[in-house]
């Protein structure tokens, strides 16, 4: 299984419009601080699956040379996680899409014109796409229902927290334990506290709790130092980062 971090930014991406902080300047100058919005590509021997469809999806797919996927999984109904699905217009018809019913209802009402192939999923009930097994599990991102994703392939396990605080249900923590790779929301560096996201310190503490073998932090804001400086302190992902398990 190959995991590609198509976009590692938060809802506004980096550079932030109108900002001249050191991180945004690094991004404007072509540095690794440049972050498109959140999407993850999972590839197996049998196909490709997108976790969320960033508003920057068009550029992400072009950069990867991809014109077809086997399915899309949506974690929740915030625009930075689904709005780019419209970029399949005149590219791929009737894309199979997977999400919980409430998430699906909201997103399909916006993207109805694409007539995707709808698959409603219940939390903690595994399903298979392209030879990979997926399980959605509840996380904590109020007030929107939000799911993390467990992916299993060939004995390897990847956990994607999606957007969440570290106050997770016990049954979700049980599912997350001993992952080969944890991809964790860490929107801000330590010193900031939000009730629906983790900072880097909280995300790394969660990684220790669930005994993840490898951790990368994503959904990152411009409040971090420039990437090449920040990555010395935290395992920050960067756009188009590829991990093979």
């Amino acid at each position: 299984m190959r995991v590609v971090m198509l976009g590692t930014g938060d809802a506004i991406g980096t550079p932030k419009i109108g900002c001249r902080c050191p991180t945004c300047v690094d991004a404007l100058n072509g540095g690794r601080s440049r972050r498109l919005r959140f999407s993850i590509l999972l590839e197996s021997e049998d196909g490709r699956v997108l976790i969320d469809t960033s508003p920057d999806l068009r550029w992400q797919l072009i950069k990867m040379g991809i014109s077809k996927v086997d399915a899309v999984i949506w974690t929740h109904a915030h625009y930075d996680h689904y709005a780019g699905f419209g970029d399949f217009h005149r590219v791929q018809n009737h894309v199979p899409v997977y999400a919980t019913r409430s998430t699906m209802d909201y997103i399909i009402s916006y993207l109805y014109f694409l007539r995707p192939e709808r698959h409603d999923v219940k939390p903690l009930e595994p399903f298979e796409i392209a030879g990979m097994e997926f399980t959605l599990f509840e996380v904590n991102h109020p007030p929107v229902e939000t799911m993390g994703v467990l992916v299993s392939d060939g004995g390897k396990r990847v956990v994607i927290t999606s957007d969440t605080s570290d106050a997770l249900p016990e049954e979700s923590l049980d599912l997350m334990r001993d992952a080969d790779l944890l991809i964790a929301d860490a929107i801000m560096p330590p010193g900031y506290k939000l009730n629906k996201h983790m900072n880097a310190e909280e995300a790394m503490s969660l990684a220790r709790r669930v005994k993840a073998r490898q951790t990368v932090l994503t959904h990152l804001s411009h409040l971090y130092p420039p990437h090449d400086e920040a990555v010395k302190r935290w395992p920050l992902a960067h756009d188009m980062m590829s991990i093979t398990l």
Side-chain angles (χ1 to χ4, degrees):
M1 173 170 43
R2 184 166 78 123
V3 182
V4 184
M5 312 294 291
L6 297 179
T8 58
D10 64 347
I12 60 174
T14 303
K16 178 182 177 181
I17 294 171
C19 184
R20 300 293 297 181
C21 75
T23 300
C24 287
V25 169
D26 179 58
L28 288 166
N29 290 336
R32 282 190 168 178
S33 298
R34 181 172 184 253
R35 301 189 185 281
L36 303 177
R37 270 73 65 84
F38 183 92
S39 284
I40 294 176
L41 174 70
L42 298 167
E43 292 185 324
S44 70
E45 293 181 356
D46 299 317
R48 300 185 181 107
V49 176
L50 282 173
I51 306 297
D52 290 336
T53 50
S54 154
D56 301 311
L57 187 67
R58 178 179 180 273
W59 172 243
Q60 292 166 344
L61 294 181
I62 288 171
K63 193 162 186 177
M64 289 295 298
I66 292 173
S67 59
K68 183 181 186 299
V69 299
D70 293 277
V72 165
I73 297 172
W74 285 313
T75 61
H76 64 295
H78 276 160
Y79 89 100
D80 57 314
H81 290 259
Y82 71 79
F85 187 78
D87 290 339
F88 283 108
H89 185 49
R90 299 181 183 171
V91 176
Q92 182 181 352
N93 295 323
H94 311 303
V95 180
V97 294
Y98 294 74
T100 59
R101 176 170 292 183
S102 64
T103 295
M104 190 75 77
D105 286 345
Y106 185 94
I107 295 175
I108 294 295
S109 70
Y110 174 67
L111 296 165
Y112 66 92
F113 65 93
L114 288 167
R115 291 184 293 174
E117 179 187 300
R118 175 173 178 159
H119 299 268
D120 291 4
V121 176
K122 294 181 179 179
L124 304 180
E125 292 189 3
F127 55 98
E128 186 174 313
I129 312 168
M132 295 176 281
E133 183 182 89
F134 297 86
T135 307
L136 303 187
F137 58 90
E138 182 184 350
V139 295
N140 185 15
H141 188 53
V144 177
E145 179 188 65
T146 303
M147 296 290 124
V149 185
L150 168 65
V151 191
S152 301
D153 180 37
K156 298 295 185 180
R157 301 171 76 251
V158 175
V159 169
I160 303 165
T161 69
S162 188
D163 295 10
T164 185
S165 76
D166 59 354
L168 296 172
E170 204 57 43
E171 61 185 2
S172 297
L173 292 170
D174 288 341
L175 200 70
M176 296 167 67
R177 285 195 172 90
D178 300 314
D180 295 283
L181 174 64
L182 173 66
I183 302 172
D185 168 33
I187 195 169
M188 295 175 178
Y192 295 89
K193 179 69 177 177
L194 294 175
N195 70 344
K196 59 182 180 178
H197 289 280
M198 292 183 287
N199 63 34
E201 186 176 74
E202 292 166 334
M204 294 308 297
S205 175
L206 174 65
R208 291 188 291 272
R209 283 174 70 192
V210 300
K211 300 180 181 178
R213 294 182 177 89
Q214 181 181 356
T215 302
V216 294
L217 306 183
T218 191
H219 205 272
L220 308 169
S221 73
H222 73 127
L223 296 173
Y224 280 92
H227 180 84
D228 289 344
E229 176 185 342
V231 78
K232 296 174 184 176
R233 300 173 60 189
W234 306 289
L236 305 188
H238 58 79
D239 286 5
M240 302 300 160
M241 178 180 182
S242 176
I243 302 168
T244 300
L245 298 171

